[in-house]
Amino acid sequence: MLALKLGLSLVSTPILGKWMPDDESSLEAWYQYREGITLNGTDVERWDDQSTNSVDMAQGVAGKQPAYSNGVLTFVSSARDFLQASEQISLSGEFTIGIKISPVLGASGTFLGDNTDSGERFKINDDDTLLIAIGGSSKNFDLDSGTWGDDYLVITRDSSDLISLWKNGVLQADSETLAGTSLIDAISVRFNNVDNFDGTIEEIQIYSSTSSDLTANINDRLSNL
């Protein structure tokens, strides 16, 4: 049995012949399932970016490190768990974000945000609404039906600034226009160290492009984690 201990970095082996996020030249950051995790006991001290950009997420304060088990990071808002990068991801045009996530119902919180500049976040706003804020402007995205669960989400912005949401491979009817440069440098927090996320995250992919093929590949990968 693999022992979990201080400083242990967990790695996995890619499946040969399968599409992988790092096949894409527009990959900005990839926080991969079961990969690049450094533990402090059973809590996450680092989650290293598996793209070539090395936008690694870390948390040096033990009491604010998310718990880890079998590829799943658990963030607790009351403990103010979050991971912080030393640099920003800047998405000025098209983008695609894929995430495997399970929010706690009844809790709101930012799962991706910027802890350096205000007005930047991707947030579970309530049990059936996603909020996206870019450059201080925000829009709500309502689910077609039901509530959040153990989900995989894909969020895209095209060249006309139209933002669309896929939940578990299904395109949701609510789309909104939101321009500006989206800034990301943290998981489970926004400026200034507030609005932490409650729930679990298994993988995050961030790209500076969008296409139907990319969306389909992300949905396929996340559905099989």
Side-chain angles (χ1 to χ4, degrees):
M1 178 179 293
L2 181 67
L4 300 181
K5 59 184 180 180
L6 180 66
L8 178 64
S9 182
L10 305 181
V11 297
S12 62
T13 303
I15 301 173
L16 295 177
K18 294 281 286 184
W19 174 88
M20 296 291 279
D22 55 3
D23 293 336
E24 305 291 331
S25 61
S26 65
L27 181 65
E28 297 293 326
W30 179 20
Y31 306 102
Q32 185 179 356
Y33 178 62
R34 293 182 180 270
E35 187 83 15
I37 300 287
T38 300
L39 295 177
N40 174 20
T42 57
D43 295 335
V44 177
E45 183 177 311
R46 290 177 62 90
W47 196 2
D48 287 344
D49 175 16
Q50 300 303 301
S51 81
T52 59
N53 297 316
S54 299
V55 187
D56 303 328
M57 296 284 182
Q59 177 55 265
V61 179
K64 297 183 178 181
Q65 295 170 346
Y68 181 86
S69 178
N70 297 319
V72 179
L73 285 75
T74 299
F75 294 84
V76 178
S77 64
S78 61
R80 298 189 175 181
D81 294 338
F82 72 94
L83 299 173
Q84 179 76 49
S86 60
E87 58 187 292
Q88 292 174 312
I89 300 166
S90 179
L91 304 169
S92 59
E94 294 181 355
F95 65 67
T96 302
I97 296 171
I99 185 168
K100 183 73 166 60
I101 188 170
S102 182
V104 172
L105 292 180
S108 64
T110 296
F111 56 88
L112 275 178
D114 195 277
N115 203 16
T116 307
D117 290 84
S118 62
E120 306 285 342
R121 62 194 180 277
F122 295 80
K123 175 180 179 177
I124 299 299
N125 205 39
D126 57 35
D127 287 358
D128 60 1
T129 307
L130 173 72
L131 181 147
I132 299 176
I134 298 174
S137 297
S138 64
K139 295 288 180 69
N140 288 323
F141 297 78
D142 296 322
L143 297 181
D144 289 353
S145 62
T147 59
W148 306 112
D150 186 12
D151 299 321
Y152 55 96
L153 309 178
V154 177
I155 303 163
T156 67
R157 182 170 71 177
D158 66 17
S159 57
S160 67
D161 296 322
L162 184 70
I163 297 181
S164 301
L165 169 66
W166 279 257
K167 177 177 179 281
N168 299 333
V170 178
L171 176 62
Q172 304 298 290
D174 192 355
S175 60
E176 306 287 345
T177 300
L178 197 55
T181 299
S182 177
L183 300 174
I184 298 168
D185 70 2
I187 300 171
S188 181
V189 75
R190 66 174 174 89
F191 184 83
N192 186 15
N193 292 308
V194 298
D195 204 22
N196 302 81
F197 173 70
D198 253 315
T200 65
I201 295 175
E202 297 176 42
E203 177 160 302
I204 303 170
Q205 306 168 27
I206 302 173
Y207 306 83
S208 56
S209 71
T210 191
S211 71
S212 58
D213 285 346
L214 178 58
T215 297
N217 282 328
I218 296 170
N219 274 320
D220 180 63
R221 173 176 167 78
L222 295 180
S223 71
N224 288 292
L225 292 184

